Amino acid sequence: MTPSLPGGVERRDFDGTTAIATQGHPEYGEATDGQYRRWNPHRSKLGAMLALGMDTGLEADQKTLYLGAAAGTTVSHVADLGGPTYAVEFAPRPARDLLSVADHRPNIFPLLKDARKPESYAHVVEPVDVVVQDVATRGQARVAALNRRFLDGEGRLLAAVKARSEDVTADPEAVFEAVVAELRDHYELLDTEQLDPYHEDHLGVVARPLE
Amino acid sequence: MTDGWFAGLDPDDTTAAAERVASGRADAPEDWPATAVDAGYTADTEEYYERLRAATMEATEAAVTERERADDQQLVHAVRAMADCERTANELAERVAEWGGSRYGEAGSGVGYARRIAEGEVGDGGESGDRALRSLAERVVDVSEEADELRAYIERTAPAVAPNLSMLAGPVLAARLISLSGGLESLAKQPSGTVQLLGAEDALFAHLRGGAPSPKHGIIFTHEYVSGTRREERGSAARALAGKLSIAARIDHYSGDRRPDLQRELDERMERIRSRGGDGE
């Protein structure tokens, strides 16, 4: 079965293997085919969620708030889908790379902010269709809850939960269970799937905010 | 009623807009593009996004540049300058003590003795020899005070450059480790066994040539967790501390996140090391 992909994401042939791709300026040494560039699921958790066939509800031209933008690898693909893309990153070093990704894309708005303090960017970020969350910090469910305010009832949370960020020593399954339980206070979970073989001990989550 | 980043601004003033992006607040998002058009800040949504992009790019660029300026190389210069000042002050203080002993017969030593001469408590004579010695003693005090100021500067800036490493090691030891390995990046890339022996290179090579015992610690000996641990357990303590410091340096370099748990983990590990064997003291 071939799950449907969001508008703007296509399957293309790269050196004999089929992979998902978007159209845009290459950013991280990814394979290209004409205007298309490969969205490497090993480098991107959202890419892994798509490659694994999770129904993300992503569409072209959606407004997106991206938490944990890091150096902008995944952000660059999200921005290729065309909508305004608010990219929040807390650490200055990766933010330097994020700036150069944003240089090639007029729809990225980079913000050096702490995703645990949404009040420090709510004066800039408008309500969005999608919140993508990839923050390697303890309290990932809390970050999702705090940023619930940017989504209306139809919005989607696409989160990659990293077990080792919550507790390095605990069993990942137990960590996921605890995070999912906390998420359910604020979101209805539509789909969860572990992201291996692309990312070990990561859980992909698709959720819709509770009213 | 909260305001968007653009409220009350001159549309052509990108710098003011960037400052507002950096420092403004709101409890909840609103339809800012529509609000901005209504308020006459922009003609339409397209122009809104252009201005928003200019403001966020400038704000983020400025914030990143500011953090980079407080960077590890500045810290390296400062900690080396501090070491130079301390060494120079001590050397000159010895000279002052030797000279002072010959003139006043009183045997003092160190920067403290130089300070007493500089302030006229010792040998307050009016001869040209007194004046020359007092002038030299004043230089010793100046250089020593310069070292103190550099230390204060390091204590202020190290936590911004390497928050986790500074938390575990203290700002000055953190700066020394960064200085010894040449920068935060190279420190982050070193195995913890190397971090354990940074500053003990002479002893290490003496050991490798044969004969000398293997060194157990380098500059991290100045950490209370090594120097304050019983001699038999010091090797273990140094290894455990170096392991945590390596992790802290890696987090500081690669992510910049603060991990308060590291301190607790280190404390627990040290407690186990110190309580095993011996009499537990």
Side-chain angles (χ1 to χ4, degrees):
Chain A
M1 190 201 91
T2 309
S4 65
L5 287 171
V9 183
E10 289 198 22
R11 287 199 169 71
R12 308 283 294 190
D13 192 58
F14 294 96
D15 295 326
T17 52
T18 306
I20 56 171
T22 61
Q23 279 184 298
H25 188 282
E27 296 295 345
Y28 53 101
E30 67 276 30
T32 54
D33 174 18
Q35 293 291 304
Y36 283 88
R37 59 199 192 93
R38 184 173 179 213
W39 190 341
N40 186 342
H42 292 280
R43 295 281 299 272
S44 165
K45 282 138 219 163
L46 186 57
M49 289 169 73
L50 290 169
L52 289 167
M54 291 181 79
D55 185 6
T56 60
L58 276 183
E59 288 169 27
D61 301 324
Q62 284 174 321
K63 291 171 183 168
T64 306
L65 169 59
Y66 197 110
L67 305 171
T73 305
T74 306
V75 172
S76 69
H77 287 290
V78 171
D80 286 349
L81 304 185
T85 307
Y86 297 89
V88 172
E89 172 53 43
F90 181 53
R93 235 173 288 261
R96 171 65 70 194
D97 297 331
L98 175 62
L99 283 170
S100 68
V101 168
D103 265 337
H104 301 129
R105 289 174 180 75
N107 57 333
I108 294 182
F109 310 109
L111 295 165
L112 192 70
K113 304 280 185 184
D114 186 344
R116 290 165 293 191
K117 295 176 184 148
E119 64 280 4
S120 70
Y121 48 86
H123 67 301
V124 179
V125 179
E126 62 191 299
V128 295
D129 304 302
V130 185
V131 170
V132 182
Q133 178 179 325
D134 181 11
V135 293
T137 171
R138 184 174 281 223
Q140 296 169 88
R142 200 173 120 72
V143 170
L146 286 168
N147 286 278
R148 156 77 179 77
R149 70 189 76 182
F150 293 98
L151 291 168
D152 66 20
E154 294 308 304
R156 285 283 183 286
L157 168 74
L158 306 176
V161 177
K162 183 179 180 181
R164 292 175 63 88
S165 291
E166 296 293 325
D167 188 338
V168 227
T169 56
D171 172 33
E173 301 285 347
V175 172
F176 293 149
E177 214 168 288
V179 171
V180 161
E182 201 180 332
L183 277 175
R184 283 192 208 281
D185 291 340
H186 305 274
Y187 291 91
E188 175 194 351
L189 270 56
L190 304 175
D191 195 8
T192 62
E193 201 168 322
Q194 295 214 23
L195 299 184
D196 53 329
Y198 301 114
H199 302 274
E200 264 178 44
D201 299 336
H202 280 76
L203 184 72
V205 175
V206 180
R208 183 167 57 195
L210 294 174
E211 287 305 315
Chain B
M1 174 69 200
T2 52
D3 285 332
W5 58 276
F6 46 81
L9 292 181
D10 173 356
D12 294 322
D13 191 348
T14 308
T15 304
E19 276 166 21
R20 194 73 72 72
V21 166
S23 63
R25 308 180 77 72
D27 287 332
E30 284 176 38
D31 188 349
W32 301 126
T35 315
V37 173
D38 286 349
Y41 181 72
T42 64
D44 52 30
T45 310
E46 195 181 334
E47 190 183 53
Y48 170 82
Y49 284 125
E50 281 169 21
R51 293 205 166 132
L52 173 61
R53 181 157 187 283
T56 53
M57 289 293 279
E58 185 167 323
T60 305
E61 172 75 41
V64 168
T65 305
E66 187 189 319
R67 278 290 300 265
E68 281 174 347
R69 235 179 248 141
D71 69 3
D72 56 341
Q73 290 309 316
Q74 296 296 304
L75 202 53
V76 168
H77 288 302
V79 77
R80 289 179 183 168
M82 181 185 80
D84 289 345
C85 285
E86 284 175 346
R87 192 187 62 245
T88 306
N90 285 331
E91 278 176 15
L92 289 176
E94 277 178 47
R95 176 67 54 215
V96 167
E98 202 177 319
W99 192 350
S102 79
R103 283 189 78 82
Y104 314 124
E106 185 186 339
S109 71
V111 175
Y113 180 69
R115 189 181 299 276
R116 284 166 59 211
I117 291 185
E119 289 168 358
E121 288 176 30
V122 177
D124 188 20
E127 290 178 29
S128 66
D130 295 320
R131 288 198 300 275
L133 177 53
R134 192 156 57 242
S135 174
L136 179 62
E138 283 164 2
R139 294 293 88 72
V140 172
V141 171
D142 284 348
V143 173
S144 170
E145 283 172 356
E146 189 62 41
D148 292 342
E149 300 222 343
L150 286 163
R151 179 179 294 271
Y153 169 78
I154 291 161
E155 284 170 350
R156 278 198 311 276
T157 53
V161 175
N164 294 293
L165 187 64
S166 300
M167 172 182 71
L168 296 189
V172 173
L173 177 55
R176 283 197 169 120
L177 289 166
I178 291 168
S179 163
L180 283 167
S181 53
L184 183 57
E185 178 169 7
S186 44
L187 181 64
K189 288 179 174 169
Q190 296 197 337
S192 79
T194 304
V195 174
Q196 186 180 343
L197 296 182
L198 278 175
E201 285 77 8
D202 289 348
L204 177 62
F205 289 120
H207 166 65
L208 292 176
R209 275 193 301 269
S214 70
K216 302 292 184 289
H217 38 66
I219 188 80
I220 65 168
F221 181 75
T222 60
H223 196 288
E224 202 275 330
Y225 270 152
V226 180
S227 54
T229 297
R230 278 176 303 117
R231 183 173 292 276
E232 307 87 87
E233 301 293 352
R234 255 182 218 160
S236 304
R239 194 166 63 245
L241 176 62
K244 286 289 178 232
L245 295 182
S246 290
I247 292 169
R250 286 169 201 167
I251 295 169
D252 288 339
H253 176 66
Y254 291 105
S255 98
D257 251 15
R258 282 171 173 71
R259 306 271 173 88
D261 292 345
L262 281 172
Q263 182 73 59
R264 184 179 49 76
E265 290 164 21
L266 175 64
D267 293 345
E268 287 171 5
R269 181 101 180 76
M270 284 299 162
E271 200 170 319
R272 280 202 301 279
I273 288 173
R274 288 180 165 191
S275 63
R276 76 192 179 194
D279 53 10
E281 283 301 303

